[in-house]
Amino acid sequence: MDDCLRCIGCCFGQTQQIFNGDPNEDITETDEQEMPEANVHMLITGLDYKGDRNWAGQNPLDTIYAFQMMEQLATACNVTSVKKMWNAECTKEAMLDAIEEVGSKCEEGDFFVFYYTGHGDAMPDDDGDEDDGFDSALCLVGPDGQVEPRHEVWLRDDDFAEAVVNAVDAGAHVLVLADCCHSGTILDVTKPIWRGRKALSITGCSDKQTSVGTGKGGMFSRALTRAIQDLQTESGDGYMTSTVYNRTLAKYRECKYASHTQDITIHGCGVLPQQFVWPLQPVTPYVTLANSSTAAWTSQANEDPQSMRGAARPGACV
C-alpha cells in the first residue's frame, strides 16, 4: 500500500498529520535500521477480572500470560523505567495517576510506552466527537474491584488521550499497545490536542471487532512478542515500527483461528511508522514466553529472560 501522512485541520498555521494503516495489510518497509538511543519509560497494565462479581468476573480472561510477556520484554529491553498495574490496581483514577507519573519522566526524544491487556468496549459518545457515535474505552474497575457501573469506572479514549498529552513532553514519542476489543482508535489521534506530536498506536483489532484470547494470552500480544524475537536475530542494527508491525501481522496469520478474524490496526500522527524507531528492542538474549513450554511460565523466567533459552518452541502457536 502507499503510506502517507494525511493533513487535517489547521490552527494558527499548524496542520495535524494523521497516519491510518489499512487493517491487517502490510505497510511500506524501510531499509533504515536504528536502536532506541533515548530513555524508554513504560507502563504495563492488565486485568483478568477474577475479583469482579459482574459479567467480567464470570469468565476471567487469560490476560496474565500477555501481562507476563510484556514484563519479560521490558526486562530484556532494559527499559529505563517500568511501572506495572494489575487487576484491582487498574482503577480509572489510579491509571490516570500512573500515566502522569510515568509520562512526566519523558523528556524530548524519549519514549512513553503504554500497554494494556483486558476488556475493551464501546460507549455512547458523550461529547459528539466520534463519527460513529461511540467512544472506545478500557474496561477498568472501581475502588471495590468491580467493572460496573461502567460510566463511572471505565476510561474513555477522550480521557485517555488527554491524560497522555498532558503528561508526556511534546517532544517525546508515544507508543500505545492495546490487546483488547473495540480498540482501533483508542489513542484518538485525530483530536486537535495531538497537533505537533509524534504518536502511534497498534491495537489487537478495529473499533467494531473483538480480540481473541488463546488460553495463554491474547493473539495480538503473542504475535507481537514472537515478531520481536525473530527480529532480534535478523536485525542486529535495530528496526523501525513498520518492520515490527509487518512481522506481527505475519505471526498472526500463522496462528489465527479459522473461525475468528481480528484486524490488527495501526494509527498515528506526526510520523510514519517507517520513521518511528521501535522502542522495545531486547539487549539480552530473548525468547518470548509465547514460544516457551508450559514449565517456563514462572516468576523466575520473568526475572531472568536468559533462562528461557532452552525452552523455545519457535513453531508453536500456543
Side-chain angles (χ1 to χ4, degrees):
M1 61 166 286
D2 294 327
D3 303 326
C4 64
L5 285 170
R6 177 171 58 93
C7 295
I8 65 171
C10 185
C11 180
F12 301 108
Q14 284 189 313
T15 57
Q16 186 176 8
Q17 298 178 312
I18 305 299
F19 173 82
N20 286 313
D22 293 328
N24 271 354
E25 288 194 16
D26 288 3
I27 55 181
T28 303
E29 286 279 12
T30 178
D31 293 330
E32 189 172 355
Q33 297 181 327
E34 289 187 38
M35 295 285 290
E37 297 180 355
N39 294 322
V40 178
H41 300 284
M42 189 171 185
L43 176 57
I44 302 173
T45 67
L47 304 95
D48 65 10
Y49 305 95
K50 285 185 177 178
D52 179 60
R53 296 186 298 274
N54 298 280
W55 54 271
Q58 295 175 10
N59 295 288
L61 301 179
D62 63 350
T63 45
I64 186 60
Y65 295 99
F67 188 88
Q68 291 176 344
M69 288 178 208
M70 298 310 293
E71 285 184 304
Q72 181 205 22
L73 178 60
T75 300
C77 296
N78 194 27
V79 299
T80 310
S81 71
V82 59
K83 183 178 179 65
K84 294 171 279 190
M85 304 175 67
W86 176 249
N87 261 359
E89 297 173 324
C90 294
T91 67
K92 181 178 178 180
E93 181 178 3
M95 189 166 289
L96 292 175
D97 287 345
I99 291 171
E100 170 63 27
E101 175 188 341
V102 178
S104 64
K105 296 178 181 179
C106 296
E107 299 179 353
E108 184 173 358
D110 288 346
F111 292 87
F112 171 78
V113 181
F114 176 91
Y115 172 82
Y116 173 83
T117 179
H119 279 303
D121 209 338
M123 300 182 72
D125 181 17
D126 63 351
D127 63 1
D129 70 334
E130 302 288 349
D131 292 339
D132 64 356
F134 290 92
D135 285 326
S136 298
L138 305 181
C139 302
L140 307 183
V141 293
D144 58 355
Q146 304 304 300
V147 77
E148 300 286 357
R150 64 189 61 188
H151 67 279
E152 294 181 7
V153 303
W154 289 8
L155 181 58
R156 293 177 182 267
D157 53 6
D158 296 338
D159 298 327
F160 175 64
E162 183 177 0
V164 173
V165 168
N166 288 341
V168 179
D169 187 279
H173 302 78
V174 172
L175 175 65
V176 169
L177 306 169
D179 194 351
C180 59
C181 301
H182 309 289
S183 54
T185 60
I186 191 65
L187 196 55
D188 237 354
V189 293
T190 59
K191 293 178 74 69
I193 59 174
W194 285 107
R195 286 194 178 104
R197 293 175 177 264
K198 297 178 180 179
L200 288 174
S201 66
I202 305 178
T203 65
C205 65
S206 71
D207 284 346
K208 297 185 181 300
Q209 291 179 317
T210 58
S211 290
V212 70
T214 65
K216 290 185 179 178
M219 190 72 76
F220 167 54
S221 296
R222 295 180 64 86
L224 175 64
T225 57
R226 293 175 69 222
I228 293 170
Q229 178 184 321
D230 281 4
L231 291 170
Q232 182 187 34
T233 59
E234 297 174 13
S235 305
D237 295 326
Y239 37 89
M240 312 303 278
T241 298
S242 55
T243 302
V244 176
Y245 179 74
N246 288 347
R247 185 60 61 91
T248 299
L249 293 186
K251 290 299 181 182
Y252 167 68
R253 292 167 187 144
E254 286 179 6
C255 297
K256 77 176 294 294
Y257 297 137
S259 60
H260 183 273
T261 296
Q262 58 192 78
D263 294 332
I264 296 176
T265 302
I266 185 167
H267 295 294
C269 61
V271 64
L272 288 169
Q274 300 91 331
Q275 302 164 336
F276 195 104
V277 177
W278 181 254
L280 300 176
Q281 301 190 35
V283 295
T284 61
Y286 172 68
V287 176
T288 173
L289 290 168
N291 279 340
S292 305
S293 64
T294 302
W297 291 93
T298 65
S299 58
Q300 180 181 0
N302 294 329
E303 295 299 326
D304 181 14
Q306 295 190 52
S307 70
M308 303 292 297
R309 297 180 72 181
R313 298 186 301 147
C317 285
V318 180

